[in-house]
Amino acid sequence: MENHIEKAKKHFEKILKEQLERVDYLKAEPDWTDYSKLKPIIIGILGGDGIGPEITNHAQNVLEFLLKAEIANGIIEIRTLDGLTIENRAKILKAIPDDVLEEIKKCHVLLKGPTTTPRKGDQWPNIESANVAMRRELDLFANVRPVKVPELGIDWMFFRENTEGAYILGSNGINVTEDLAIDFKAITKQGADRIIRMAFDYAKRNDINKVTVVTKANVVKTSDGKFLSVAEKVAKDYPEVEWDDWYIDIMTAKMIDPKRRQQFKVIVAPNLYGDIITDEAAQLQGGVGTAGSANIGKRYAMFEAIHGSALRMVKENRQQYADPSSMIKAAALLLNHIGYQEKALKLEKALDICAQYEKRIQITGRSTGATGNAYAEYIMETLEDPNLEEKWESYQ
Ligand code: IPM
Ligand code: MG
């Protein structure tokens, strides 16, 4: 037994050292990238696994369609990056192969298809998730996920902490003995501060008078308690923004309470809770296939779908029917982030028209519906329509 404890202590010591070093890094964080000063802005495209390459390709087409002039002028470069596949990652037992990470770091922003996250018992070795690794390697601390369902009065903006919480050490737990498994969850003052501040900033900038902080601080007292106490402090810097705090369990309930849910506007949560409630929210919007996700750090940013690689669809040979909306929405978030707000808004309107209002063709995920390619073309036709604005207004 002594021996087991000694081994676990060593493991914990290593984790503590790494995390304290991370805190030092956070204290001296670089400033935000100013995209207006970059020429060209390099957009890296990573297809991912399963349905990823297919739907990413459609999103890339839409992006190239909207950025035709900028690409021709050399203001923007679109670069396709290979090698972030589960086959490759499994072969070398790494979440992100070193050479791919090197290429990724040469880009400024990324559009990434879903990557398969292995789990025990899979056909793949149980390596760390590429998503989690990328968020950590590029310090993409903010996972920003908008969800809108106008007819239900839902207009939510989620700020999910993306680099710590239950995730950061999710592949670093320890089986102390065969009977005792321990995982670690870490929340830092700096990590909590920057995501909570971002949520409050967003609320203030957009005249939204409500931020909701989600934790389970009544039970997970130390780390969630830290998150909540940082929120109390940050809130003092934003006296014009009201805020409240909810526990994750009742939050998931109230999000499906028609009377209550309209009150939520900007929501900020530690990593795992944010993961869970953003899937729930996306489902209310029409499924996880409809939601995009921005992973934002001060230096890099990565935009993706919120769903997985849907290997089942590929096995059943229906990847061509996968809904590319989430990736196209991610492309809109990317455009917005690098300074093309107008194009981003136009794309969002086109997506709304196609998915929520006009619905000339629909995706079902099977041959009963349109292909992803046909759907992307429908979106581009809608973008080309000189009456797009009027059309959109008429539905409001
Ligand atoms: C998400 C996904 C990822 C996560 C998985 C694929 C690791 O569910 O982006 O929400 O849990 O963060
Ligand atoms: Mg998730």
Side-chain angles (χ1 to χ4, degrees):
M1 175 150 125
E2 251 337 279
N3 190 13
H4 289 306
I5 294 179
E6 274 317 307
K7 238 179 96 200
K9 270 161 88 178
K10 284 229 166 65
H11 183 80
F12 189 42
E13 189 177 352
K14 185 165 163 264
I15 286 174
L16 290 178
K17 278 196 183 129
E18 283 166 5
Q19 290 310 309
L20 287 171
E21 269 167 31
R22 200 169 66 82
V23 170
D24 283 343
Y25 164 81
L26 291 177
K27 285 181 175 165
E29 236 184 332
D31 224 355
W32 290 96
T33 297
D34 181 353
Y35 293 97
S36 70
K37 295 218 170 81
L38 298 173
K39 196 182 172 205
I41 299 175
I42 304 171
I43 304 175
I45 310 271
L46 296 145
D49 308 308
I51 59 168
E54 177 91 23
I55 58 174
T56 307
N57 187 29
H58 300 319
Q60 179 173 355
N61 288 341
V62 172
L63 210 50
E64 285 174 351
F65 174 82
L66 279 167
L67 293 169
K68 220 175 288 163
E70 290 77 7
I71 293 170
N73 292 337
I75 297 174
I76 290 201
E77 180 187 329
I78 297 207
R79 202 179 273 182
T80 313
L81 307 180
D82 294 321
L84 191 70
T85 59
I86 184 64
E87 292 80 7
N88 230 349
R89 292 185 283 129
K91 200 165 69 199
I92 59 168
L93 297 180
K94 270 204 124 158
I96 307 175
D98 291 340
D99 54 332
V100 178
L101 186 59
E102 207 175 298
E103 290 308 311
I104 285 175
K105 287 187 171 169
K106 290 183 194 154
C107 301
H108 301 116
V109 285
L110 302 157
L111 184 67
K112 182 185 106 12
T115 43
T116 297
T117 299
R119 64 175 216 185
K120 199 171 160 206
D122 262 2
Q123 54 169 311
W124 308 110
N126 195 10
I127 52 173
E128 189 188 28
S129 146
N131 275 45
V132 175
M134 195 177 299
R135 291 165 184 169
R136 186 185 60 240
E137 293 293 336
L138 305 181
D139 198 27
L140 307 173
F141 69 88
N143 197 323
V144 185
R145 298 182 159 177
V147 167
K148 262 192 217 163
V149 192
E151 65 271 27
L152 300 180
I154 290 175
D155 189 352
W156 296 332
M157 186 58 105
F158 291 90
F159 288 84
R160 163 188 175 190
E161 204 293 320
N162 216 18
T163 46
E164 39 187 61
Y167 273 61
I168 184 167
L169 298 165
S171 295
N172 273 298
I174 179 164
N175 285 303
V176 179
T177 64
E178 213 182 274
D179 303 309
L180 176 63
I182 296 210
D183 267 311
F184 303 95
K185 168 171 165 173
I187 286 185
T188 65
K189 188 168 111 192
Q190 290 72 16
D193 185 276
R194 61 183 181 173
I195 187 74
I196 294 167
R197 212 166 275 285
M198 197 166 169
F200 273 90
D201 264 343
Y202 176 85
K204 185 177 167 184
R205 251 185 300 120
N206 293 284
D207 272 324
I208 301 169
N209 187 27
K210 187 59 160 297
V211 172
T212 299
V213 180
V214 181
T215 68
K216 187 76 188 180
N218 53 341
V219 175
V220 187
K221 293 188 192 289
T222 309
S223 52
D224 281 5
K226 172 69 80 186
F227 196 88
L228 190 54
S229 69
V230 171
E232 277 163 17
K233 225 160 133 237
V234 171
K236 292 212 171 78
D237 293 339
Y238 298 85
E240 62 278 76
V241 181
E242 267 177 41
W243 74 288
D244 55 6
D245 84 276
W246 289 71
Y247 297 134
I248 179 67
D249 48 352
I250 190 68
M251 183 71 190
T252 54
K254 289 303 168 193
M255 281 170 59
I256 51 170
D257 175 347
K259 286 193 293 283
R260 209 59 202 247
R261 64 180 165 206
Q262 300 187 1
Q263 296 169 12
F264 300 126
K265 304 273 185 248
V266 175
I267 300 121
V268 59
N271 211 336
L272 180 59
Y273 309 140
D275 178 47
I276 296 166
I277 51 179
T278 52
D279 264 17
E280 187 190 10
Q283 187 60 39
L284 290 166
Q285 181 179 259
V288 288
T290 64
S293 160
N295 297 266
I296 295 175
K298 298 211 167 161
R299 171 119 183 245
Y300 296 101
M302 181 264 281
F303 301 82
E304 61 179 346
I306 83 162
H307 57 75
S309 54
L311 290 176
R312 195 184 317 128
M313 287 190 84
V314 181
K315 245 183 243 146
E316 291 169 9
N317 202 9
R318 50 188 177 92
Q319 67 270 27
Q320 68 274 33
Y321 297 107
D323 190 345
S325 303
S326 55
M327 284 305 297
I328 298 175
K329 200 160 272 180
L333 295 170
L334 183 151
L335 286 168
N336 187 53
H337 187 70
I338 61 172
Y340 291 92
Q341 282 83 5
E342 217 168 284
K343 288 185 201 288
L345 202 61
K346 203 170 147 189
L347 180 52
E348 270 170 17
K349 285 181 178 166
L351 276 163
D352 270 0
I353 291 172
C354 298
Q356 315 232 12
Y357 306 119
E358 190 181 80
K359 302 183 191 173
R360 204 170 69 219
I361 62 172
Q362 286 186 46
I363 293 255
T364 61
R366 305 180 174 273
S367 56
T368 49
T371 61
N373 186 48
Y375 200 73
E377 271 171 14
Y378 175 32
I379 289 169
M380 287 188 270
E381 272 166 37
T382 308
L383 281 168
E384 240 171 359
D385 183 347
N387 298 320
L388 178 138
E389 280 300 324
E390 289 79 359
K391 206 181 211 178
W392 190 80
E393 284 298 335
S394 74
Y395 289 116
Q396 298 312 298

